[in-house]
């Protein structure tokens, strides 16, 4: 790996140095950090204030992402209320919302869904790598089912990445960081992100582009240096968007993005050590038309995503290739029915294709999703009422209805009360439904089941918040009642090579509370704190659900002694968890991670970054060998952001 890495490393160092020089000496003016208004669009399609949104939403802005090391979406969401970044195997990470596993989280880019790979590609977390940090304007995290608007896959929640738009004047920025581990076991990172946007034809045609180059060396295992504790990654990503505004009411957008990723690790099968490399190619494209008329708004879109994974090995047979592709066509309109009423209607047609030889003899299957939805919003003085439903017509399961009702009440200018109930569903993926699907390992063989039913989640929540000048407090109670959970169970030879089948055998209940507080006793000093309590139970087996921390606490202390200097201390506590292996229950201990960041605005164009992560050098493998993910050991990073 080292010979391959050195050439890339030299190119990235050259980019770092040249970019630093060019951006520092730029003669073009630069504005200070822009304040991002707290508005969201994910809850209703329409831009609205965060406190008015009919959902529990967390917004993570660009400045927050820029002030700490962020390699992917999982890093970006570390510390968010109600969000847990856990393992999916092979030391990779997935995103869980309110105790619902990562396959129940829908990831979107500017409101467009991306291929959800967790259920069809083993140990996949490709959903977290579509957009580099430099291309992100903000991230909206909706906690709770949003199937009434977005259909299947939004059973647990939605993550909507809002990208940086085209601008009326030319702007550019570049952030570059280098990271190294203290223990010397590898894992060094070089990361450079670029953004450029501006008008090609003033007030008519604009362009926005972003890209990233990132290299991370593999981390050697402490127990056996011939094995990789964390895989190495070499990532190249690029995206371009053209925006045409023929008049003041219309916008036409054309988008294309592509990313390539090589993931390399040292592995062991039997007594054979070898190098295995996963090659991932992902693409996205979109065409959209939006109109803002006197009577309301319209949106027409056609878009698609494609993810292809291949494998090569230095010894032995490679893993079979896999290709997941979907195409979506949707339309919606929002009608203003008077000053207090807005009605939104729309429809969606989505085609999904999967190429995988483990699925059936043909190595191919497909399905279509058709849906219509309706949502009505009523604004009555201090009240907002939202009623909506979505009807999905699935190729296999027929019609499924996902209703939702929500209310927002402002008893005063400082107090907001929110609550609602919603129902969502998730259809089994093509693999699980195939009677020919089977995967055999050294420990088990698993088969598909064409008789599986969809999974359903009915969610309830009630919350209140108080916002004052220098402090705020929010608390939310929630409950997820999940029916027909799909789980694998041992059907034969449970003490030897286990034969596993998939069945709708479980009912689960996930209850919890989220508390968040912010305090700014001085203009230069502030604190953000959130706490999540989860009681996640398998009602069928009368035992805890796996890998759901009962307690989670996230703390950020911020200090800005001058307008140019800011520092922050980050703390993340993860409580005890339960996991199962071969039907045996095990406990995972709690642990705490600490990090610190220092950012200095050297000039109006140039900002320096210094960070340290896992300062207490917490080693999960030393706490328990049953953790299925890895926290990076004590590490440090340095970098810069240049902008004009």
């Amino acid at each position: 790996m080292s010979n391959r890495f050195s050439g890339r490393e030299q190119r990235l160092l050259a980019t770092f140095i040249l970019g630093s020089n060019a951006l520092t000496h730029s003669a073009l003016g630069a504005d200070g950090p822009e304040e991002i208004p707290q508005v969201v669009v994910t809850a209703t399609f329409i831009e609205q204030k965060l406190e008015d949104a009919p959902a529990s939403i967390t917004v993570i802005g660009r400045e927050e992402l820029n002030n700490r090391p962020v390699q992917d979406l999982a890093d970006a969401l570390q510390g968010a209320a109600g969000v847990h970044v856990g393992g999916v195997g092979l030391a990779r990470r997935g995103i869980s919302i309110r105790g619902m596993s990562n396959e129940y989280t829908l990831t979107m880019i500017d409101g467009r869904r991306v291929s959800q790979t967790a259920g069809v590609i083993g140990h996949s977390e490709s959903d977290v790598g579509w957009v580099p940090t430099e291309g992100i304007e903000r991230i909206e995290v909706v906690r709770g089912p949003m199937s009434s608007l977005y259909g299947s896959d939004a059973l647990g929640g939605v993550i909507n990445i809002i990208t940086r738009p085209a601008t009326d004047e030319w702007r550019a920025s570049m952030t570059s960081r280098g990271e190294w581990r203290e223990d010397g076991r590898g894992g060094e990172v070089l990361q450079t992100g670029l953004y450029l946007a501006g008008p090609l034809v003033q007030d008519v045609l604009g362009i926005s582009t972003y890209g990233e180059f990132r290299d991370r060396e593999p981390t050697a295992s402490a127990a056996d240096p011939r094995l990789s504790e964390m895989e190495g990654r070499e990532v190249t990503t690029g995206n371009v968007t053209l925006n045409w505004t023929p008049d003041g009411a219309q916008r036409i957008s054309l988008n294309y993005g592509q990313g390539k990723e090589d993931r390399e690790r040292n592995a062991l099968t039997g007594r054979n050590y070898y190098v295995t490399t996963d090659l991932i190619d992902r693409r996205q494209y979109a065409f959209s038309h939006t109109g803002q008329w006197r009577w309301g708004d319209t949106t027409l879109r056609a878009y698609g995503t494609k993810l292809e994974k291949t494998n090569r090995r230095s010894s032995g047979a490679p893993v079979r290739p896999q290709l997941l592709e979907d195409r979506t066509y949707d339309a919606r309109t929002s009608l203003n029915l008077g000053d207090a009423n807005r009605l939104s209607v729309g429809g969606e047609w989505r085609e999904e294709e999967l190429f995988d030889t483990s699925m059936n003899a043909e190595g191919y299957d497909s399905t279509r999703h058709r849906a219509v939805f309706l949502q009505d919003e009523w604004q009555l003085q201090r009240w907002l009422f939202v009623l909506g439903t979505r009807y999905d017509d699935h190729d296999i399961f027929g019609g499924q209805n996902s209703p939702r009702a929500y209310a927002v009440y402002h008893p005063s200018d400082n107090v907001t009360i929110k609550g609602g109930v919603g129902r969502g569903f998730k259809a089994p993926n093509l693999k699980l439904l195939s009677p020919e699907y089977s995967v055999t390992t050294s420990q088990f063989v698993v088969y598909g089941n064409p008789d599986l039913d969809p999974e359903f989640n009915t969610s309830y929540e009630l919350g209140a918040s108080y916002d004052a000048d220098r402090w705020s407090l929010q608390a939310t109670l929630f409950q997820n009642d999940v029916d027909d959970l799909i789980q694998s169970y041992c059907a034969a030879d449970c003490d030897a090579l286990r034969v596993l089948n998939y069945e709708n055998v479980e009912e689960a209940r996930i209850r919890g509370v989220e508390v968040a507080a912010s305090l700014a006793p001085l203009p230069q000093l502030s604190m953000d704190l959130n706490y999540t309590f989860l009681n996640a139970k398998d009602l069928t087996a009368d035992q805890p659900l796996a890998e759901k921390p009962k307690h989670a606490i996230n703390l950020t202390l911020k200090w800005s002694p001058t307008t140019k200097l800011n520092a922050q201390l980050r703390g993340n506590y993860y409580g005890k968890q339960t996991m199962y292996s071969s039907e045996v229950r095990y406990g995972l201990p709690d642990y705490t991670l600490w990090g610190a960041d220092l950012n200095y605005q050297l000039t109006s164009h140039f900002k320096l970054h210094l960070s340290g992560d896992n300062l207490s050098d917490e080693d999960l493998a030393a706490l328990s060998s049953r953790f299925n993910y890895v926290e990076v050991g004590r590490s440090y990073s340095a970098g810069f952001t240049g902008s004009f």
Side-chain angles (χ1 to χ4, degrees), residues 155-172:
L155 196 68
V158 172
I159 300 169
N160 192 9
I161 303 170
I162 309 299
T163 60
R164 299 176 71 179
T167 55
D168 294 332
E169 58 184 22
W170 283 99
R171 292 187 179 180

Side-chain angles (χ1 to χ4, degrees), residues 55-58 79-84 96-100 141-145 156-157 406 418 459-465 473-480 510-517 529-535 549-554:
S56 294
I57 303 180
T58 297
V83 175
H84 175 60
S96 168
I97 298 178
R98 286 184 174 173
M100 301 291 289
V141 183
V142 181
R143 305 187 297 278
Y406 209 94
K418 295 183 177 183
S459 177
Y460 311 85
E461 72 174 39
L462 178 63
S465 64
L473 179 65
Q474 301 91 35
T476 303
L477 300 171
F478 64 88
Q479 177 169 312
N480 293 320
I510 304 174
R511 289 175 173 171
V513 58
E514 297 164 348
V515 180
L529 175 71
N530 67 69
Y531 165 73
T532 302
F533 168 78
L534 274 182
N535 182 3
K550 194 168 187 178
H551 305 278
I553 303 174
N554 301 290

Side-chain angles (χ1 to χ4, degrees), residues 21-42:
N21 181 71
L23 292 170
T24 303
H25 294 88
S26 173
L28 296 177
D31 298 329
E34 295 183 4
E35 293 186 5
I36 300 174
Q38 289 292 295
V39 296
V40 293
V41 296
T42 311

Side-chain angles (χ1 to χ4, degrees), residues 34 63 99 193 222 232 240 287 290 304 310 336 379 447 464-465 469 536 621 640:
E34 295 183 4
E63 183 176 0
V240 59
F287 174 82
T290 59
T310 56
N336 298 318
Q379 183 76 52
Y447 296 101
S465 64
D469 290 337
F640 76 92

Side-chain angles (χ1 to χ4, degrees), residues 444-477:
F444 63 85
V445 56
V446 61
Y447 296 101
N449 181 358
D451 297 323
L452 290 175
D453 294 323
E455 301 167 281
F456 295 91
N457 178 25
T458 303
S459 177
Y460 311 85
E461 72 174 39
L462 178 63
S465 64
Y466 183 88
D467 293 290
D469 290 337
R470 292 194 174 183
W471 66 278
S472 66
L473 179 65
Q474 301 91 35
T476 303
L477 300 171

Side-chain angles (χ1 to χ4, degrees), residues 56-325:
S56 294
I57 303 180
T58 297
V59 178
I60 303 171
R62 167 162 174 74
E63 183 176 0
E64 180 181 347
L65 297 174
N66 187 250
N67 282 342
R68 56 188 172 94
V70 173
Q71 293 186 34
D72 54 25
L73 186 60
D75 282 340
L77 297 185
Q78 286 276 18
V83 175
H84 175 60
V85 178
V88 297
L90 298 181
R92 297 171 181 170
R93 302 176 300 170
I95 299 169
S96 168
I97 298 178
R98 286 184 174 173
M100 301 291 289
S101 300
N102 65 309
E103 60 263 32
Y104 303 110
T105 300
L106 174 63
T107 302
M108 301 191 300
I109 302 173
D110 294 325
R112 307 185 305 267
R113 66 171 59 235
V114 299
S115 299
Q116 191 180 62
T117 60
V120 293
I121 298 179
H123 309 297
S124 176
E125 33 71 281
S126 295
D127 304 352
V128 306
W130 283 88
V131 183
T133 307
E134 201 64 18
I136 297 175
E137 180 74 13
R138 68 182 187 273
I139 302 171
E140 298 179 8
V141 183
V142 181
R143 305 187 297 278
M146 291 296 294
S147 294
S148 62
L149 290 181
Y150 303 111
S152 185
D153 301 337
L155 196 68
V158 172
I159 300 169
N160 192 9
I161 303 170
I162 309 299
T163 60
R164 299 176 71 179
T167 55
D168 294 332
E169 58 184 22
W170 283 99
R171 292 187 179 180
S173 66
M174 180 172 78
T175 296
S176 189
R177 297 181 192 260
E179 180 179 330
W180 63 97
R181 287 180 57 154
E182 185 181 86
D183 57 19
R185 290 197 282 127
E188 288 81 9
V189 177
L190 279 174
Q191 179 180 10
T192 298
L194 303 165
Y195 165 77
L196 176 67
L200 298 176
V201 179
Q202 192 67 44
D203 300 325
V204 176
L205 183 63
I207 186 173
S208 62
T209 63
Y210 57 78
E212 183 184 52
F213 308 95
R214 172 164 39 99
D215 270 313
R216 185 185 76 189
E217 284 197 21
T219 303
S221 168
D224 186 348
R226 293 172 294 180
L227 298 176
S228 297
E229 180 182 64
M230 296 182 67
E231 64 190 0
R233 295 188 180 184
E234 186 176 292
V235 183
T236 304
T237 302
N239 189 91
V240 59
T241 301
L242 293 172
N243 291 307
W244 176 37
T245 52
D247 54 48
Q250 300 181 76
R251 168 170 290 191
I252 298 172
S253 297
L254 183 63
N255 170 271
Y256 180 79
Q258 185 169 349
K260 292 184 178 296
E261 189 169 348
D262 292 0
R263 303 182 176 188
E264 182 177 300
R265 61 187 176 89
N266 298 320
L268 172 66
T269 299
R271 296 182 179 180
N272 182 35
Y273 289 87
Y274 59 94
V275 179
T276 177
T277 304
D278 287 337
L279 309 172
I280 299 174
D281 185 348
R282 51 177 165 248
R283 303 178 185 182
Q284 55 177 315
Y285 55 89
F287 174 82
S288 67
H289 176 279
T290 59
Q292 295 181 333
W293 321 102
R294 292 182 179 179
W295 47 267
D297 304 324
T298 59
T299 299
L300 296 171
R301 299 187 303 185
Y303 64 91
T305 61
K306 178 180 179 181
L307 188 141
E308 183 176 10
K309 175 192 169 188
T310 56
N311 176 262
R312 62 171 181 253
R313 295 186 175 186
S314 61
S315 175
V319 177
R320 63 190 178 277
Q322 295 166 301
L323 173 62
L324 178 63
E325 186 171 5

